[in-house]
Amino acid sequence: MPESQYEFDNPVDRYPHIHPPEAQVPEPGRDSELEPPADHGEASYVGTGRLTARKAIVTGGDSGIGAAVAIAFAREGADVAIVYQPEEEVDAQAIAEQIRGAGRTALTIPGDLTDRAFCDRVVQRAVDEFGGIDILVNNAGKQVFCPDLTELPDDQFDLTMKTNVYAMFWLTKSALPHLAAGSTIINTTSVQAYLPSELLVDYATTKAAINTFTKALGQQLAPKGIRVNAVAPGPIWTPLQVSAGQPPEKLPDFGSQTPLGRPGQPAELAPAYVFLASPESSYVVGETLTVTGGMPTP
Ligand code: NAD
Ligand code: MG
Protein backbone atom coordinates (compact mmCIF):
# COMPACT_ATOMS: atom_id res chain seq x y z
CA MET A 1 0.00 0.00 0.00
CA PRO A 2 1.32 3.46 -0.84
CA GLU A 3 2.52 5.72 1.96
CA SER A 4 0.61 8.61 0.39
CA GLN A 5 -1.38 9.32 -2.76
CA TYR A 6 1.77 10.97 -4.13
CA GLU A 7 3.99 7.88 -3.98
CA PHE A 8 5.25 6.75 -7.40
CA ASP A 9 4.92 3.01 -7.91
CA ASN A 10 3.53 0.51 -10.36
CA PRO A 11 -0.28 0.99 -10.43
CA VAL A 12 -0.68 -2.71 -11.26
CA ASP A 13 0.67 -3.61 -7.80
CA ARG A 14 -0.18 -0.43 -5.89
CA TYR A 15 -2.90 -2.39 -4.10
CA PRO A 16 -3.35 -6.13 -3.65
CA HIS A 17 -5.02 -8.35 -6.25
CA ILE A 18 -7.69 -9.53 -3.81
CA HIS A 19 -9.86 -12.65 -4.09
CA PRO A 20 -12.81 -12.01 -1.77
CA PRO A 21 -14.89 -14.94 -0.48
CA GLU A 22 -18.22 -15.83 -2.15
CA ALA A 23 -20.15 -14.29 0.73
CA GLN A 24 -23.21 -12.09 0.64
CA VAL A 25 -24.59 -9.87 3.42
CA PRO A 26 -27.91 -8.00 3.67
CA GLU A 27 -28.11 -4.36 2.56
CA PRO A 28 -26.57 -2.08 3.60
CA GLY A 29 -23.16 -3.72 3.69
CA ARG A 30 -20.70 -2.36 6.23
CA ASP A 31 -17.04 -1.47 5.86
CA SER A 32 -16.43 -2.53 9.46
CA GLU A 33 -17.32 -6.11 8.36
CA LEU A 34 -15.78 -6.11 4.86
CA GLU A 35 -13.28 -8.90 4.21
CA PRO A 36 -10.62 -8.17 3.05
CA PRO A 37 -10.85 -4.62 4.42
CA ALA A 38 -10.84 -1.67 2.01
CA ASP A 39 -8.48 1.31 2.05
CA HIS A 40 -10.06 4.76 2.42
CA GLY A 41 -6.77 6.57 2.82
CA GLU A 42 -6.90 6.56 6.62
CA ALA A 43 -3.15 5.92 6.81
CA SER A 44 -2.11 7.56 3.56
CA TYR A 45 -4.10 10.59 2.34
CA VAL A 46 -2.03 13.75 2.70
CA GLY A 47 -3.87 17.07 2.46
CA THR A 48 -2.28 20.27 1.19
CA GLY A 49 -4.98 22.85 1.98
CA ARG A 50 -6.80 22.50 -1.32
CA LEU A 51 -10.26 22.83 0.28
CA THR A 52 -9.45 25.13 3.16
CA ALA A 53 -12.58 26.25 5.06
CA ARG A 54 -14.97 24.67 2.54
CA LYS A 55 -18.18 23.07 3.81
CA ALA A 56 -19.19 19.77 2.23
CA ILE A 57 -22.05 17.28 2.26
CA VAL A 58 -21.06 13.75 1.20
CA THR A 59 -23.93 11.26 0.93
CA GLY A 60 -22.88 7.69 1.61
CA GLY A 61 -19.88 9.17 3.42
CA ASP A 62 -19.89 6.38 6.01
CA SER A 63 -18.25 3.78 3.79
CA GLY A 64 -16.66 2.98 0.47
CA ILE A 65 -15.95 5.77 -1.98
CA GLY A 66 -17.84 8.37 0.06
CA ALA A 67 -15.77 7.57 3.15
CA ALA A 68 -12.53 8.07 1.22
CA VAL A 69 -13.88 11.37 -0.14
CA ALA A 70 -14.92 12.52 3.35
CA ILE A 71 -11.44 11.78 4.78
CA ALA A 72 -9.68 13.49 1.87
CA PHE A 73 -11.93 16.57 2.02
CA ALA A 74 -11.32 16.94 5.76
CA ARG A 75 -7.54 16.59 5.36
CA GLU A 76 -7.73 19.23 2.60
CA GLY A 77 -9.35 21.57 5.14
CA ALA A 78 -13.11 21.10 4.70
CA ASP A 79 -15.86 20.55 7.28
CA VAL A 80 -17.80 17.47 6.22
CA ALA A 81 -21.36 16.26 6.80
CA ILE A 82 -21.85 12.59 6.03
CA VAL A 83 -25.26 11.08 5.27
CA TYR A 84 -25.98 7.37 5.66
CA GLN A 85 -28.57 4.81 6.74
CA PRO A 86 -29.16 4.33 10.49
CA GLU A 87 -27.83 0.73 10.32
CA GLU A 88 -24.43 2.16 9.33
CA GLU A 89 -23.74 4.09 12.54
CA VAL A 90 -20.53 2.19 13.36
CA ASP A 91 -19.02 2.97 9.96
CA ALA A 92 -20.21 6.58 10.16
CA GLN A 93 -18.65 7.16 13.59
CA ALA A 94 -15.29 5.80 12.37
CA ILE A 95 -15.28 8.27 9.48
CA ALA A 96 -16.48 11.14 11.69
CA GLU A 97 -13.51 10.34 13.94
CA GLN A 98 -11.19 10.66 10.92
CA ILE A 99 -12.73 14.03 9.99
CA ARG A 100 -12.27 15.31 13.55
CA GLY A 101 -8.75 13.89 13.58
CA ALA A 102 -8.00 16.21 10.66
CA GLY A 103 -9.06 19.13 12.86
CA ARG A 104 -12.33 19.72 11.02
CA THR A 105 -16.00 19.60 12.04
CA ALA A 106 -17.83 16.36 11.34
CA LEU A 107 -21.61 16.19 11.10
CA THR A 108 -23.29 12.76 11.06
CA ILE A 109 -26.79 12.66 9.53
CA PRO A 110 -28.47 9.22 9.50
CA GLY A 111 -31.69 8.82 7.56
CA ASP A 112 -33.36 7.73 4.34
CA LEU A 113 -32.51 9.71 1.22
CA THR A 114 -35.46 8.18 -0.64
CA ASP A 115 -37.60 10.44 1.59
CA ARG A 116 -37.79 13.90 0.07
CA ALA A 117 -38.33 15.63 3.43
CA PHE A 118 -35.16 14.02 4.78
CA CYS A 119 -33.16 15.42 1.82
CA ASP A 120 -34.38 18.91 2.74
CA ARG A 121 -33.42 18.33 6.38
CA VAL A 122 -29.91 17.20 5.40
CA VAL A 123 -29.25 20.48 3.62
CA GLN A 124 -30.81 22.56 6.40
CA ARG A 125 -28.76 20.83 9.11
CA ALA A 126 -25.50 21.34 7.23
CA VAL A 127 -26.34 24.99 6.61
CA ASP A 128 -27.28 25.50 10.27
CA GLU A 129 -24.21 23.76 11.71
CA PHE A 130 -21.58 24.92 9.20
CA GLY A 131 -23.03 28.35 8.39
CA GLY A 132 -23.41 27.38 4.74
CA ILE A 133 -22.39 24.77 2.18
CA ASP A 134 -20.26 24.97 -0.94
CA ILE A 135 -19.65 21.34 -1.94
CA LEU A 136 -22.38 18.73 -2.49
CA VAL A 137 -21.32 15.18 -3.31
CA ASN A 138 -24.27 13.03 -4.40
CA ASN A 139 -22.64 9.66 -3.84
CA ALA A 140 -25.12 7.40 -2.02
CA GLY A 141 -26.23 4.57 -4.22
CA LYS A 142 -28.22 1.35 -4.42
CA GLN A 143 -27.07 -1.59 -6.57
CA VAL A 144 -28.79 -4.98 -6.40
CA PHE A 145 -28.28 -7.46 -9.23
CA CYS A 146 -31.18 -9.25 -10.92
CA PRO A 147 -30.68 -11.54 -13.93
CA ASP A 148 -34.31 -11.45 -15.16
CA LEU A 149 -36.41 -8.34 -15.68
CA THR A 150 -39.63 -10.25 -15.04
CA GLU A 151 -38.29 -10.96 -11.55
CA LEU A 152 -37.03 -7.45 -10.86
CA PRO A 153 -39.36 -6.32 -8.04
CA ASP A 154 -41.20 -3.07 -8.67
CA ASP A 155 -40.10 -1.75 -5.30
CA GLN A 156 -36.44 -2.46 -6.11
CA PHE A 157 -36.75 -0.55 -9.39
CA ASP A 158 -38.43 2.29 -7.49
CA LEU A 159 -35.88 2.38 -4.66
CA THR A 160 -32.91 2.24 -7.06
CA MET A 161 -34.35 5.20 -8.98
CA LYS A 162 -35.16 7.08 -5.77
CA THR A 163 -31.74 6.49 -4.20
CA ASN A 164 -29.59 7.12 -7.26
CA VAL A 165 -31.59 9.73 -9.19
CA TYR A 166 -34.35 11.35 -7.10
CA ALA A 167 -32.17 11.92 -4.02
CA MET A 168 -29.59 13.64 -6.26
CA PHE A 169 -32.35 15.85 -7.68
CA TRP A 170 -33.90 16.62 -4.28
CA LEU A 171 -30.61 17.37 -2.53
CA THR A 172 -29.37 19.52 -5.40
CA LYS A 173 -32.65 21.45 -5.52
CA SER A 174 -32.56 22.02 -1.75
CA ALA A 175 -28.90 23.00 -1.77
CA LEU A 176 -28.98 25.44 -4.69
CA PRO A 177 -30.37 28.47 -2.82
CA HIS A 178 -27.38 28.15 -0.46
CA LEU A 179 -24.63 27.67 -3.08
CA ALA A 180 -22.61 30.76 -3.93
CA ALA A 181 -20.45 31.17 -7.02
CA GLY A 182 -17.43 28.89 -6.70
CA SER A 183 -19.49 26.06 -5.24
CA THR A 184 -19.33 22.61 -6.78
CA ILE A 185 -21.62 19.62 -7.14
CA ILE A 186 -20.10 16.20 -7.80
CA ASN A 187 -22.21 13.16 -8.66
CA THR A 188 -21.02 9.58 -8.45
CA THR A 189 -21.95 7.79 -11.62
CA SER A 190 -20.37 4.52 -12.86
CA VAL A 191 -18.69 2.71 -15.71
CA GLN A 192 -22.12 1.02 -15.84
CA ALA A 193 -23.43 4.14 -17.58
CA TYR A 194 -21.28 3.15 -20.59
CA LEU A 195 -20.81 -0.61 -20.28
CA PRO A 196 -24.06 -1.78 -18.68
CA SER A 197 -24.20 -5.28 -17.22
CA GLU A 198 -27.21 -7.45 -18.11
CA LEU A 199 -27.51 -8.12 -14.36
CA LEU A 200 -27.85 -4.43 -13.45
CA VAL A 201 -30.55 -3.06 -15.76
CA ASP A 202 -32.13 -0.76 -13.16
CA TYR A 203 -28.82 0.40 -11.67
CA ALA A 204 -27.10 1.00 -15.01
CA THR A 205 -30.11 3.02 -16.17
CA THR A 206 -29.78 5.34 -13.17
CA LYS A 207 -26.09 5.86 -13.85
CA ALA A 208 -26.74 6.94 -17.44
CA ALA A 209 -29.36 9.33 -16.03
CA ILE A 210 -26.77 10.75 -13.62
CA ASN A 211 -24.36 11.42 -16.51
CA THR A 212 -27.02 13.30 -18.45
CA PHE A 213 -28.25 15.19 -15.37
CA THR A 214 -24.64 16.27 -14.80
CA LYS A 215 -24.13 17.50 -18.37
CA ALA A 216 -27.46 19.34 -18.57
CA LEU A 217 -27.31 20.94 -15.11
CA GLY A 218 -23.64 21.78 -15.62
CA GLN A 219 -24.64 24.08 -18.47
CA GLN A 220 -27.57 25.55 -16.54
CA LEU A 221 -25.49 26.45 -13.48
CA ALA A 222 -22.19 27.46 -15.11
CA PRO A 223 -23.31 31.09 -15.65
CA LYS A 224 -23.92 31.28 -11.88
CA GLY A 225 -20.37 30.06 -11.22
CA ILE A 226 -21.54 26.71 -9.82
CA ARG A 227 -19.79 23.77 -11.45
CA VAL A 228 -21.42 20.34 -11.76
CA ASN A 229 -19.28 17.32 -12.60
CA ALA A 230 -19.27 13.56 -12.05
CA VAL A 231 -16.88 10.73 -11.26
CA ALA A 232 -17.40 7.32 -12.90
CA PRO A 233 -15.71 4.57 -10.90
CA GLY A 234 -14.93 1.13 -12.28
CA PRO A 235 -14.97 -1.89 -9.94
CA ILE A 236 -14.08 -0.56 -6.47
CA TRP A 237 -13.83 -2.73 -3.36
CA THR A 238 -16.71 -1.52 -1.15
CA PRO A 239 -19.58 -3.00 0.93
CA LEU A 240 -21.97 -2.34 -1.98
CA GLN A 241 -20.42 -5.29 -3.80
CA VAL A 242 -21.03 -7.85 -1.05
CA SER A 243 -24.62 -6.76 -0.30
CA ALA A 244 -26.14 -8.18 -3.53
CA GLY A 245 -24.28 -5.71 -5.72
CA GLN A 246 -23.43 -8.72 -7.84
CA PRO A 247 -23.63 -12.52 -7.73
CA PRO A 248 -21.40 -13.81 -4.88
CA GLU A 249 -19.71 -16.30 -7.22
CA LYS A 250 -18.24 -13.34 -9.10
CA LEU A 251 -16.58 -11.86 -6.01
CA PRO A 252 -13.37 -13.95 -6.06
CA ASP A 253 -12.54 -12.40 -9.47
CA PHE A 254 -13.80 -8.92 -8.61
CA GLY A 255 -11.96 -6.30 -10.66
CA SER A 256 -9.61 -8.75 -12.34
CA GLN A 257 -11.16 -7.96 -15.75
CA THR A 258 -9.77 -4.43 -15.74
CA PRO A 259 -6.57 -3.66 -17.69
CA LEU A 260 -4.83 -3.03 -14.34
CA GLY A 261 -5.97 -6.53 -13.32
CA ARG A 262 -7.29 -5.61 -9.86
CA PRO A 263 -10.16 -3.72 -8.23
CA GLY A 264 -9.69 -0.11 -7.24
CA GLN A 265 -9.62 0.90 -3.60
CA PRO A 266 -11.83 3.78 -2.39
CA ALA A 267 -8.64 5.75 -1.59
CA GLU A 268 -7.82 5.80 -5.30
CA LEU A 269 -11.07 7.67 -6.04
CA ALA A 270 -10.71 10.50 -3.52
CA PRO A 271 -8.21 12.65 -5.50
CA ALA A 272 -10.66 12.85 -8.44
CA TYR A 273 -13.32 14.35 -6.13
CA VAL A 274 -10.81 16.72 -4.53
CA PHE A 275 -9.78 17.94 -8.00
CA LEU A 276 -13.39 18.55 -9.06
CA ALA A 277 -14.24 20.27 -5.75
CA SER A 278 -11.25 22.59 -5.82
CA PRO A 279 -10.77 25.69 -8.00
CA GLU A 280 -7.96 23.84 -9.82
CA SER A 281 -10.76 22.47 -12.01
CA SER A 282 -12.33 25.91 -12.59
CA TYR A 283 -12.83 25.33 -16.34
CA VAL A 284 -14.14 21.77 -15.96
CA VAL A 285 -17.95 21.69 -16.23
CA GLY A 286 -20.39 18.87 -16.99
CA GLU A 287 -17.50 16.42 -17.19
CA THR A 288 -17.40 12.81 -16.07
CA LEU A 289 -13.98 11.81 -14.83
CA THR A 290 -13.59 8.05 -15.22
CA VAL A 291 -11.53 6.11 -12.66
CA THR A 292 -11.89 2.61 -14.02
CA GLY A 293 -8.52 0.87 -13.94
CA GLY A 294 -8.43 1.18 -17.71
CA MET A 295 -11.92 -0.03 -18.66
CA PRO A 296 -12.63 2.07 -21.77
CA THR A 297 -15.55 4.49 -21.89
CA PRO A 298 -16.69 6.59 -24.85
P1 NAD B 1 -21.10 1.88 -0.19
O1 NAD B 1 -22.09 0.86 0.16
O2 NAD B 1 -19.95 2.04 0.71
O3 NAD B 1 -21.80 3.30 -0.31
C1 NAD B 1 -23.14 3.48 -0.66
C2 NAD B 1 -23.78 4.30 0.44
O4 NAD B 1 -25.06 4.76 0.00
C3 NAD B 1 -24.05 3.53 1.72
O5 NAD B 1 -22.98 3.64 2.61
C4 NAD B 1 -25.28 4.21 2.27
O6 NAD B 1 -24.92 5.04 3.33
C5 NAD B 1 -25.76 5.07 1.14
N1 NAD B 1 -27.19 4.88 0.91
C6 NAD B 1 -27.77 3.97 0.12
N2 NAD B 1 -29.11 4.09 0.18
C7 NAD B 1 -29.35 5.11 1.02
C8 NAD B 1 -30.54 5.72 1.52
N3 NAD B 1 -31.77 5.32 1.11
N4 NAD B 1 -30.44 6.74 2.41
C9 NAD B 1 -29.21 7.15 2.81
N5 NAD B 1 -28.06 6.62 2.37
C10 NAD B 1 -28.14 5.62 1.49
O7 NAD B 1 -20.65 1.58 -1.68
P2 NAD B 1 -19.80 2.43 -2.77
O8 NAD B 1 -19.42 1.44 -3.78
O9 NAD B 1 -18.79 3.28 -2.12
O10 NAD B 1 -20.92 3.35 -3.42
C11 NAD B 1 -20.82 4.75 -3.52
C12 NAD B 1 -21.24 5.18 -4.91
O11 NAD B 1 -20.31 4.67 -5.86
C13 NAD B 1 -22.61 4.65 -5.34
O12 NAD B 1 -23.30 5.69 -6.01
C14 NAD B 1 -22.26 3.56 -6.32
O13 NAD B 1 -23.26 3.37 -7.29
C15 NAD B 1 -21.01 4.14 -6.95
N6 NAD B 1 -20.15 3.19 -7.65
C16 NAD B 1 -19.55 2.16 -7.01
C17 NAD B 1 -18.75 1.29 -7.71
C18 NAD B 1 -18.06 0.14 -7.05
O14 NAD B 1 -17.50 -0.70 -7.76
N7 NAD B 1 -18.06 0.04 -5.75
C19 NAD B 1 -18.56 1.47 -9.09
C20 NAD B 1 -19.19 2.53 -9.72
C21 NAD B 1 -19.98 3.38 -9.00
MG1 MG C 1 -22.21 2.29 4.01
Side-chain angles (χ1 to χ4, degrees), residues 19-270:
H19 299 286
E22 288 185 26
Q24 186 166 300
V25 301
E27 281 182 282
R30 295 178 187 84
D31 255 329
S32 40
E33 293 159 17
L34 191 64
E35 197 46 51
D39 181 20
H40 312 94
E42 290 94 335
S44 61
Y45 191 91
V46 177
T48 55
R50 293 162 73 190
L51 300 176
T52 301
R54 303 304 271 179
K55 306 165 197 323
I57 296 173
V58 180
T59 67
D62 60 300
S63 62
I65 295 163
V69 170
I71 291 171
F73 278 12
R75 292 188 187 177
E76 295 290 358
D79 294 330
V80 187
I82 59 174
V83 187
Y84 52 92
Q85 293 172 289
E87 305 95 304
E88 300 174 300
E89 196 59 43
V90 170
D91 282 359
Q93 288 306 327
I95 301 308
E97 206 46 52
Q98 291 286 330
I99 295 166
R100 291 185 199 109
R104 305 306 310 183
T105 303
L107 188 55
T108 51
I109 315 182
D112 181 3
L113 288 167
T114 68
D115 171 1
R116 197 217 191 292
F118 175 69
C119 292
D120 288 342
R121 288 202 297 278
V122 165
V123 170
Q124 201 51 55
R125 268 206 69 194
V127 167
D128 290 346
E129 305 255 347
F130 292 163
I133 40 168
D134 34 42
I135 303 170
L136 171 64
V137 180
N138 290 306
N139 167 78
K142 178 178 174 68
Q143 172 185 330
V144 175
F145 80 94
C146 181
D148 182 344
L149 194 81
T150 62
E151 284 169 18
L152 178 62
D154 286 3
D155 68 333
Q156 177 182 321
F157 188 86
D158 192 46
L159 277 177
T160 304
M161 292 289 154
K162 291 251 167 64
T163 309
N164 299 4
V165 179
Y166 281 63
M168 171 182 69
F169 166 62
W170 289 329
L171 285 165
T172 303
K173 197 171 166 183
S174 276
L176 269 175
H178 304 284
L179 299 182
S183 298
T184 53
I185 299 169
I186 306 167
N187 302 320
T188 301
T189 176
S190 170
V191 68
Q192 287 290 324
Y194 309 97
L195 301 168
S197 158
E198 75 276 20
L199 304 176
L200 296 172
V201 171
D202 54 343
Y203 174 83
T205 300
T206 66
K207 293 300 176 177
I210 293 169
N211 278 14
T212 299
F213 180 90
T214 301
K215 284 195 174 71
L217 190 68
Q219 294 172 76
Q220 185 182 118
L221 298 184
K224 298 186 197 318
I226 300 167
R227 295 183 301 108
V228 188
N229 289 290
V231 176
I236 311 303
W237 185 233
T238 73
L240 194 82
Q241 301 299 345
V242 296
S243 51
Q246 59 179 296
E249 61 272 19
K250 289 196 162 198
L251 288 172
D253 294 325
F254 182 68
S256 61
Q257 80 281 19
T258 64
L260 283 181
R262 63 169 177 84
Q265 292 290 331
E268 295 181 280
L269 272 293

